[in-house]
Every structure is written in structure tokens, then in C-alpha cells.
Amino acid sequence: MRNSIALKNAFITKILRTGWGSSATLAVLSMIVSLLALCLCSYFAGASPLQVMVALFEGALRGRYALTTTLSEWVAMTLCGLAVLIPYRAGFFNVGGQGQLEVGAVAAAAVALSLNAPRPLVIMLALAAAVAAGLLAVSVPLILRLRRGASEVTTTIMMNFACIQFMYAMVTGPLKDARSWYGTTPPVPQAYQLPSFPPGSGIPAGMWVAALIALAAAWLMNSTVFGLYLRAVGSNRPAAVAAGIPVNRVLTGAVLMGAALAGLAGGLQLLGYTFRVAEGWSKSWGLVGIPIALLGGNPLGVLVVGFLFAILETGARSMQALTGAPAALIYLFQGLPVIIYLGLRASAWYSRWSQAAG
Amino acid sequence: MSKRSTGRRLLAGLLVLWMVGMLAGCGAAEEQAQEPAAEEKPKVRAAIIFSIVNPARAGGWDRADWAGIQLLREQYGWEVTVAEGVPYAQTAATAAGYAEKGYDLVIFPDAGQTEAFFEVAPKYPKTWFVMMSMCEKLPNSPRVAAWSPDLYAYGAMVGLVAAKATETGTIGLIGGVPVPALITLFSGSIEAAKLVRPDVEVLTYFVGDWVDVAKHRELAALQIQEGADVIFPETGPGTLGCYEAAKAGGAKIIGFAWDMYEDAPEVIITSVIFDKPRMYRDLAEQFMAGTLEKKIVHCGPEYFGLADFRGSLPEDTIKEIKDLVSQLQKGELIIPVVIHEEIVGK
Amino acid sequence: MEGQWWAEFLSAVLRAATPLVFCALGVLVCERAGILNIGVEGSMLLGALAAVLAAVYSGNPWMGVVAALGVGMLGGMILALLTVYLPADQVATGIAFNLVCLGVTSFVYKLLVLGGVQLMAPALRAVRAPGGPVSLLDLATAVTPLTWIALLLVVLIWIFLFRTGPGLLWRSMGESARAAHAAGLDVHKVRTVAAVVGGLLSALGGAALTLGWVPTFTDNMTMGRGFIALAAVYFGRWHPGLALLACLLFGAGEALAFRAQALGAGLNPYYYLMLPYVVTLVAVGATGRAIGPRDAGKPYPRG
């Protein structure tokens, strides 16, 4: 009897040591709890939880259209997640991903709609313009942070508003499609759209780009001097200064990298998924990047969590369409797992900290 | 290292669980689907995709569609599934999802969904795709149709009502976003108002979005401040803000697309109605009779009408307005077509 | 005519600024005690919905205000639990909290209006009858009581923070929690109170948006106003008076953006609509280095 209790205790301790503390486990756990909450809410809304769950995953993964859409969502979610994650490591909270994405797409549209050149050249130039626009959008908050010490949380949010207004100004002004009834640019000509890769598979080429970038970011952050600096600057700035790390240059590099990725996401989504920039053309990819980055924790984690969020985004729309459960549940689902995760991690950290202290 | 692998194993386990769940769910869904088929003639299954949430109480346009859907459900016994709050980027996938589930018709109530209309329709030639909004060209598929309202004529009807109803001689037009549809509609209003009342002044302002009620209120208040006593808001859920401004500032509102009296009885003079139920009735009749064909139905002034005035204006003014409207409908009153591209301001 | 234009303009500025002032105070009170209140947008949404629902069902707008205070307190407690007691990252928690609140409010509203009824709540109206103010003197009666409460709160909170003993302790908590602890203060208790007060004031901002401005609810109706209040606090250097000024500046930007449409024929209105945000950014850039409470955002471990 005592033996079994001891065994049990040892087992629990083992779980606690290996499982409980691991962020990945916490992320998965918080997702499961949130899914249960989703079931409960759909029950209150008068839909059958089973049907809701089935519709959710079917809508995201069953059929070619659903899969293509999910993969396209994944592109934006991964890149926007990285756009938050990399600057976050250096101590800069980039809430401006959405604005950077919007102007990135506008810039890419301007290039793709005005040039007449070979396909690879136009695509390259359009994506370069998207990146440049993203950098431009972050430059104001970055300069204000470096020169004035202004909190980037507010300045990037201000830039979001301004960028979205700018996007609207473009789609109802210089870039508008005169033959369309709503506010939109003309569609990107078929010749300049991003092909799927392998050809005809329906897998967006952007997905490979996003995956490669995530791998590159993982390498950069884990195996290079820059990654080391990044962590030093983010975790203890005074110590980093004392160690002679060029703090501001590392911060600038990380922030520009993040914004470039958000801008790129805009360009890729335009050329490979929506083909038009229009009122309501994008989803809140930039904003959802925040929970993705926080849950993911590292570039590969962002890739995985980004995929889960893409499934939920596509699936939740289809769930709403087929079962009539309110679409508002999607927002609930984007916030709830993060809160649970943060809470769990904080308490795990706390328990370990207090154990170490006591 | 061991920490990581535990996490991964858990993740893998979770994925497996999901897949099992999915398979079980598919089986259950198929069983359910087979049962009612045995009973009687299968119901017509239609789906409609709204880009906004809560269409039943949204701005006029979607509410008119909602009335159309109720007609399909109640009079024709159709089973109509409603998707709402679907972003334009997701419309194609949602429509394809319906087509794959074997729906007979998929209805788009919003011109912003044109892209999806053209993308999905050719890929599912067995499903009918119907655009209930402005449309000039049909996709390359045998089963597509559109009921396309003439926005200029609609705007003209609004202009007639407004020019007759105003006492100060200033009318306000409030748009959500300066999109071509609104430019056309408001141009019609301006031309018609000038035709029946040459000295009329028209203020055309745009809020910048369709939803921010507070901004809508401020813009309407601004127009009232500048002398407008009749306001026509053509926007989305934000319209509620315009009503509030009219209540506070003593102005009147012309409702958009559907009878909006219920929303603000104090301030609504009348509403210029899109007879969307009639469009849906056309659709249902033709579909049931098997005569639905690939075509665009251009809906002119005969598809528009006025809601009850409920004594909001003097009797003779109401009669004047009704006369003008019936002249417009009969084609006796011709409004010159002038599109004001640079419409913002006075 | 001129006087009337100004009176109308100022009352528009006050209408736009009132919800921002409440929220800015909510943020300020928290940050002075050392916790960031990024969740202000979410609390504002909660307050907006609760105010409308309570006002509709009770028929009395002041019941709406009370309900907003109630849910604001609840939201503040949840945030306090997460950011003070656990403690989790304050920015991340705040942003996730906003998403959850957006989901919850839209969901609850959807459940309650399934019948298709439009919810128009009884509003807190200005004392003056309709028709708009005609002179600057009438301005005082052209705004709702909530505007006066907001202005009063600015003064009260300024007095509390900068002219009283407890206020000094409160601020010391934001500068150095360790020192405050050494001085015998219970850091967690005070910060919890701060979070609750912050939630309360933010929710009141939501009530001001609905009951004082447009007495109805739509999904995501705050439209980022909480974040603007956040910016106002930074721009106002964590001082109630300056934060009020920042809110008024933003309200003026919005009112001007609309009025510019009346003047500039032809130009795309979006260039004007960018105005308030650009003005805020320029103001942040022009006013020099702002240094907030040093310990804001840093969790204080328990033990």
C-alpha cells in the first residue's frame, strides 16, 4: 500500500518535472481546455457540441478547398507570429503587425498592377515592395522608441489605425477598380499570381516560403551570435549593455526583421490567396500573430501553433456556416488559450520558484 | 530533450484523437443525412453568405435579404442555412463548402463577394450560384444568375423623397466607405434632388467605415449643424448612430433598403425599399418550375418602393412624392445620368 | 455663427473625449501602482454591453452605469488574479483579455438578440433640449452628466495621487514595489485594488460610449478607443491633467477630420481620418522623452 503511494508520488513528480514545466504541454493543455469551453458555449447557443466540433475540423481539413484555405491562412499566421516573436525576444512588443501587413499588401498591389515584366521579376519586386512598406510602417514606432523612449505598444497601435486608413484611401482612391462596385483594387493579373507548388497541387507557394523562414529564424535564434545577443538584450538589458552588446543595433535588427515578415505576409497573401486588396480583404492576421507568438514561444512552435490557429480560423468559419453557432466564438477562441497558458505557466514558474526559494 | 519529446508526443496524441473524432463525426453525419431522404420529396437546400454579423438587425441592405430568406423558408419551405460575418477572403471557401455538402443553391447578397462568385461557380457546375447584388457579368458556369439592382435609379428615388421632404433646402447623404456603388447611388440622389428642387444643397460625407456608431453619430450631427434636416444614411450597423444624432438634433431620416421604422420611430420619415423579397420570390418560383436560367435580371425602379409614411409629412407632400415616384417607375420622369466622381463635401 | 460653430465643435470634442478620459484614468491609476492595464479595451467593451443591457431591462440609464461598474470590477479582479497574484506577463495577458472580451460580448449580445429585436437603450441625455447649443455658455448643459463626472474624476484622482499621503504611497508602488514593500505596504493588496479601480473606470468609459453617446451595442463597438486612451496616458506623462488634455486633443482630431470633409471637396476622406492618429504620433515625437512609473509592468513575486 505504502509502496503504491510512493510509486504514485514518484510518477506525479516525474510528470511534474518533465511534462508540467514544458511550454509545449502547457500550450496543448490550454488549447484542449479552450476547445471544451467552445463546446460549452456552442451548447448555450443551441448548437450540438459534437456537430460543432465535427464541422470545425471537417471545415478546415476535408476537401481540397478547405485544405488550400487552411494552408493559405497558415502562411499569414506563421509570418505574423514571427513578426511578433522576434522583436519580443529583444524586448519590443510589436502590436503593429496588422498595419505592416496592410501596407505591405498595398505596396505589392501597386507594383503588381503597374508593372509589365516577366513573372518572377514582378513577383520578386512586389514582395520586395511589401517588405519595404512593412519596414516603413515600423520605422516611426522604432525611432520614437529609440529616440524618445515612447512605448511601442501604443505607437504601433496608432500606426495600425493609420495604416488601415491608408489602405482604405488607396482602395477607394488611386488603386481602385473602377469596374467594381465595392472598394477594391483590380485583381492581380493571373500572370503575376503566385503559383501553387508543386504545380497544380493547390499548396500555396507562400507556405514553403513561410516554413523556410520559420526554420531560418529558428537557426538564427538558437545557433547564431545574433540569437544570443537577442536573448541577452530581451532578458536583461543592463547586463547586455555591460557585456558590450550593441543593444540598440540588436533591437533595431530584430524589429526590422519582424516588420519585414509582416509586410511580406501581406504581399504573399495578396499574390497567392486574395488577389485583391479591398475593404475587409484581410483577417486580423497581424493581431492573431500575438497569441500565436506567445503560445508558440519559438519559431518552430510558431509554425505548429500557427497551423492550429489556421485550422481553427478556417474551421470556425465553416462551423458557423453549417451549424449556425455564433462567429463571435472565434475571438473567444483566440484569446482564451493564451490566458490559460499564461496563467498555467506563471503558476508553474511560481511553484518552482517558491520550491527553489523554500 | 526529454521535456521536448514529451510535449511532442502529447501533441501527436492529440492530433490522433482529433482525427478519430473527425472520422466518428463523419460517420454520424452521414447516418443523419440518410434518414430524412426516405420520407418525402427532399427539401430545397439553399445557403446564403453574409459578410456582416446578425443580418436580421443590420443596416437595411442585409435586412432586406433577411426578409427574402424568411420568404423562402415560410412560403416555399426551403431549408436555408445562413453564414454570417464571413470575411471576403473566406467567402470562396465557405461557398465551396456548401457546394460540396450538396446544397442546391448558394446565394451571395453582397457585391463584395463577386470575386468568390467567379472563383467558385465554375468549379461546381451542379450547384446554382446566385448574386443578389450589383452584377454586370456572369461567371463561366451553366448554373449562375443574378438579380442586379440599378443603384442610380434607387438613389434617384431617394433624392426625390429627400428634396420634397426638406424644409431647410439642405439634405445630407452619409456613406460608410466611398465605394463606387455609393458614388453611383449618391450621384442619382443629387441629380434627382436638383431636378425637382434646383436650389437644393446636398452634403455628402463618408464615415470611413460601416460599423462605428459613434462616428456615424458625429457625422450626422455635423450635417444637422450645417443645416441638413433630412438625412439619408447608406451604411452598415453604424446607421444606429445617425438615428441618435437625428433624435438629438431634431432632423429626419430616410431609411435605407428596408422599412427601418421600428429602429427609430421618432425620426424615420419613410424608407426607400429594395423589394428583395420580390427578387427571392422570382428566384424561388423559377427554381421550383425548373425555368431558372443563366441570366442577369436588371432590377429597375419597379423593384423599389416607399415604406408607409405613417403621417410623418403633410398629406399633400406625401402625395407629391408618391406621384413623382410612380412617374419614375413608369419611365415618365427621366433623371439625367451624371456620375459625380469627386462627391465628398457639398 | 462663429460662436455656434465653436460651441458645436467643442461639444463634439467633449463627446468624443469623455469615454477616453474614463479609460485613460483607469490606465493611469493602474500604472501609477505598477501594473499595465492593456486590457482596458476589453473592460471598456464589457462595460459598454453591460450598461446597454441593464439600461434596456431596467429602463433606467443609471442602472446601466451601475451594471458597468459591476462588470468592470469583475474584469479588474480577473486581471488582478492573473497579473498580480500569479503573476503572468501583463502585456500578453491584457491583449488576450481583450480578445476574450470581444468574443464574450459579441456572443452574449448575439444570444440576447436572437429574436431580431434592435436594442436601443434609454440614454443619459444632455440637460438641454434638442437643437444643439447656440453659444459657448450653453456648452455646459449640452453635454451629458457623464462628461461632468469624468472631469470631476480627473480632479479627484489628481488630488488623491499628488496631494495626499495614501496617493504618495500609491505612486511609490509604481516606482519601486520593493521599497514600498519595505515601507510596510502590502504590494499585492494595493495592486489588486488598483486593477479593480482600473477595470471599474475602463468599464465606465464603455458606459459613457454607449449611454452617453450612442445608446446601443454593436460587435466590437469600442473600435480601439481603449488603446487610444492608453496612448493618451503615455502622451500625458502619467499625469491626470495632461492625460485629459491628450484625450481632448484626440477628440479634436476626430472632430476636425469630419469637419475637413465639409471644406475639402473631392479629396479622399481617409486622408483626414488619419489625422487623429498622426497627430497623436507627432505629439509623442515632439514632446520629448516620457518616463513612466519605473516598476510598471514588472510583476512582484509573492513571498
Side-chain angles (χ1 to χ4, degrees), chain C:
Chain C
M1 183 61 205
E2 278 295 287
Q4 178 163 3
W5 191 91
W6 279 103
E8 292 279 4
F9 175 71
L10 287 177
S11 69
V13 171
L14 282 176
R15 271 199 301 272
T18 304
L20 297 180
V21 172
F22 281 116
C23 291
L25 289 175
V27 173
L28 194 143
V29 165
C30 280
E31 300 213 352
R32 279 292 183 183
I35 45 174
L36 300 175
N37 187 3
I38 308 287
V40 53
E41 174 87 7
S43 302
M44 196 180 177
L45 261 178
L46 288 180
L49 178 63
V52 165
L53 290 181
V56 164
Y57 286 116
S58 72
N60 180 352
W62 291 106
M63 285 309 290
V65 174
V66 172
L69 290 176
V71 294
M73 201 161 12
L74 197 70
M77 278 186 210
I78 293 172
L79 277 175
L81 176 74
L82 287 164
T83 58
V84 179
Y85 278 93
L86 280 175
D89 183 283
Q90 297 177 8
V91 177
T93 309
I95 288 191
F97 179 77
N98 290 337
L99 277 168
V100 170
C101 287
L102 175 57
V104 167
T105 50
S106 308
F107 180 66
V108 169
Y109 188 56
K110 168 93 185 170
L111 284 194
L112 290 175
V113 297
L114 276 181
V117 195
Q118 199 74 248
L119 279 179
M120 266 292 188
L124 283 171
R125 292 215 187 274
V127 186
R128 261 176 57 83
V134 286
S135 78
L136 281 174
L137 279 177
D138 289 332
L139 197 58
T141 51
V143 292
T144 64
L146 283 173
T147 305
W148 290 110
I149 296 177
L151 296 176
L152 191 68
L153 275 174
V154 171
V155 177
L156 288 180
I157 286 175
W158 174 74
I159 291 175
F160 170 74
L161 282 176
F162 293 94
R163 289 289 179 273
T164 68
L168 183 66
L169 291 175
W170 187 286
R171 281 188 292 144
S172 74
M173 194 84 67
E175 293 300 331
S176 169
R178 194 175 294 272
H181 181 72
L185 279 177
D186 185 337
V187 175
H188 295 97
K189 214 174 261 172
V190 177
R191 285 191 170 173
T192 304
V193 172
V196 170
V197 172
L200 241 141
L201 288 168
S202 311
L204 211 51
L209 177 66
T210 49
L211 298 178
W213 204 356
V214 186
T216 184
F217 187 84
T218 55
D219 286 12
N220 193 20
M221 82 171 289
T222 50
M223 304 287 292
R225 286 187 172 81
F227 292 118
I228 290 159
L230 206 60
V233 172
Y234 288 70
F235 171 47
R237 296 162 172 240
W238 292 268
H239 187 286
L242 290 177
L244 166 70
L245 209 64
C247 293
L248 290 173
L249 182 75
F250 188 87
E254 212 174 81
L256 268 182
F258 289 143
R259 277 154 181 79
Q261 277 193 51
L263 304 172
L267 191 56
N268 193 306
Y270 284 104
Y271 297 117
Y272 305 127
L273 292 170
M274 263 187 254
L275 201 69
Y277 311 108
V278 174
V279 166
T280 310
L281 281 173
V282 169
V284 168
T287 50
R289 191 169 281 271
I291 296 166
R294 228 175 315 142
D295 259 15
K298 290 184 197 147
Y300 192 72
R302 280 176 68 189

Side-chain angles (χ1 to χ4, degrees), chain A:
Chain A
M1 195 60 194
R2 268 179 67 182
N3 243 353
S4 79
I5 290 173
L7 212 74
K8 214 165 142 190
N9 278 346
F11 181 65
I12 289 171
T13 323
K14 199 177 164 200
I15 289 184
L16 280 178
R17 271 206 205 118
T18 54
W20 183 244
S22 140
S23 324
T25 319
L26 289 189
V28 169
L29 198 66
S30 48
M31 292 277 230
I32 296 176
V33 175
S34 308
L35 271 182
L36 291 178
L38 188 68
C39 285
L40 197 70
C41 286
S42 50
Y43 174 74
F44 279 122
S48 134
L50 180 70
Q51 273 182 1
V52 164
M53 283 298 122
V54 169
L56 185 76
F57 289 104
E58 250 190 9
L61 301 170
R62 194 177 184 200
R64 198 185 144 96
Y65 239 105
L67 265 174
T68 306
T69 311
T70 305
L71 293 178
S72 301
E73 292 284 329
W74 190 17
V75 176
M77 300 225 170
T78 303
L79 290 177
C80 288
L82 292 174
V84 177
L85 181 79
I86 299 174
Y88 190 66
R89 278 284 171 86
F92 184 100
F93 205 124
N94 179 21
V95 192
Q98 189 68 26
Q100 291 144 21
L101 182 141
E102 304 268 357
V103 291
V106 168
V111 169
L113 292 173
S114 58
L115 282 190
N116 197 356
R119 180 180 201 161
L121 185 67
V122 172
I123 289 180
M124 280 301 171
L125 283 176
L127 292 180
V131 167
L135 294 179
L136 204 64
V138 90
S139 62
V140 176
L142 182 62
I143 290 170
L144 287 178
R145 160 82 186 259
L146 292 177
R147 292 281 156 80
R148 300 287 184 199
S151 154
E152 74 279 3
V153 174
T154 54
T155 51
T156 49
I157 288 173
M158 287 294 136
M159 280 309 286
N160 271 349
F161 288 118
C163 289
I164 289 168
Q165 304 283 14
F166 176 76
M167 184 275 287
Y168 268 96
M170 291 298 117
V171 302
T172 57
L175 289 177
K176 81 171 167 194
D177 180 0
R179 279 177 306 173
S180 180
W181 286 104
Y182 68 118
T184 177
T185 64
V188 173
Q190 191 119 37
Y192 302 148
Q193 294 178 358
L194 269 180
S196 59
F197 186 85
S201 63
I203 299 174
M207 191 199 84
W208 303 106
V209 177
L212 278 179
I213 288 176
L215 289 177
W219 172 77
L220 187 78
M221 289 170 81
N222 293 328
S223 327
T224 64
V225 181
F226 179 77
L228 202 67
Y229 281 3
L230 201 61
R231 224 167 305 165
V233 172
S235 59
N236 191 343
R237 199 180 156 97
V241 174
I245 294 173
V247 176
N248 279 349
R249 228 184 295 164
V250 171
L251 177 75
T252 307
V255 171
L256 291 182
M257 227 180 275
L261 293 184
L264 181 67
L268 287 174
Q269 291 308 81
L270 171 77
L271 296 179
Y273 181 33
T274 65
F275 310 123
R276 286 175 191 261
V277 179
E279 39 164 343
W281 74 282
S282 75
K283 301 197 190 154
S284 47
W285 290 309
L287 206 63
V288 180
I290 298 165
I292 292 175
L294 295 171
L295 283 175
N298 63 61
L300 298 179
V302 165
L303 205 59
V304 175
V305 176
F307 187 57
L308 292 181
F309 269 66
I311 291 180
L312 288 167
E313 172 71 38
T314 322
R317 302 285 172 190
S318 126
M319 163 202 90
Q320 195 284 321
L322 291 171
T323 65
L329 290 176
I330 299 163
Y331 301 115
L332 197 62
F333 202 85
Q334 285 165 350
L336 202 56
V338 182
I339 287 196
I340 297 173
Y341 169 77
L342 290 169
L344 286 176
R345 197 178 59 172
S347 59
W349 167 80
Y350 167 62
S351 65
R352 248 182 294 150
W353 179 84
S354 61
Q355 265 170 20

